[in-house]
Amino acid sequence: MQYKTIQELYLAVGVAGAIVVVFLALFTYLVVASDKKRTQQMDDVVDKLSTLQINDNDFKVLMQGLTETVKELSTTNRIVADTVSKLDFYSKDLHKKLDKHDAKSERILEEIRH
C-alpha cells in the first residue's frame, strides 16, 4: 500500500494504533472482569470451606458430647441393673423367709386349734 502524503501515513498508523489500543483495552477489561469473577468465586469457595470446617468442628464436638452421654447412660443403666438384680435377690430371699414364717405360723395355729 502506498501513501501519497506523510499525513496519510500518519493517519493509517494512527488508525492502526487506535485499533490496537482498543483491542488491548478490551483484552485488559476482559482479563480484569474474569479475574474479579474468579476472585469472587474463590472467595465463595473459601467461605464455604470455612463454613464446612466450622460445621465439621461443631459436629465433632457434638459427637464427642454424645459419646460421653452414651457412656454415662451405659454406666447408669449398669448401676440400675445391678440394683434391680440385688432387689430381686433380696425380694426372693424375703419371700422364702416369709414362706417359712407362714409355714411355722400355720403349724402353731394348727397346734393351738387342736
Side-chain angles (χ1 to χ4, degrees):
M1 189 168 199
Q2 291 185 356
Y3 299 103
K4 296 180 182 172
T5 64
I6 194 83
Q7 286 91 10
E8 288 180 1
L9 177 63
Y10 285 152
L11 180 64
V13 170
V15 169
I19 292 172
V20 168
V21 168
V22 167
F23 281 117
L24 284 175
L26 182 62
F27 177 75
T28 304
Y29 172 77
L30 291 174
V31 167
V32 169
S34 178
D35 187 51
K36 284 182 181 178
K37 183 179 176 184
R38 286 193 182 101
T39 301
Q40 182 60 40
Q41 288 173 342
M42 289 303 295
D43 288 343
D44 291 346
V45 167
V46 168
D47 289 343
K48 287 177 183 177
L49 286 175
S50 297
T51 302
L52 287 175
Q53 184 178 11
I54 290 169
N55 289 343
D56 187 46
N57 289 339
D58 290 345
F59 181 73
K60 286 179 183 177
V61 168
L62 289 174
M63 287 305 293
Q64 288 173 350
L66 181 62
T67 301
E68 291 299 318
T69 302
V70 168
K71 286 179 183 177
E72 291 173 8
L73 182 62
S74 175
T75 302
T76 303
N77 283 346
R78 206 172 311 120
I79 292 169
V80 168
D82 289 344
T83 304
V84 168
S85 176
K86 288 178 184 175
L87 286 173
D88 187 46
F89 173 77
Y90 291 130
S91 176
K92 287 179 183 177
D93 187 47
L94 182 62
H95 280 290
K96 286 181 190 176
K97 289 180 181 177
L98 287 175
D99 286 344
K100 287 180 184 177
H101 181 70
D102 285 347
K104 287 181 185 176
S105 296
E106 287 295 325
R107 273 187 269 139
I108 291 172
L109 284 176
E110 286 295 321
E111 287 180 18
I112 292 175
R113 287 184 195 151
H114 290 340

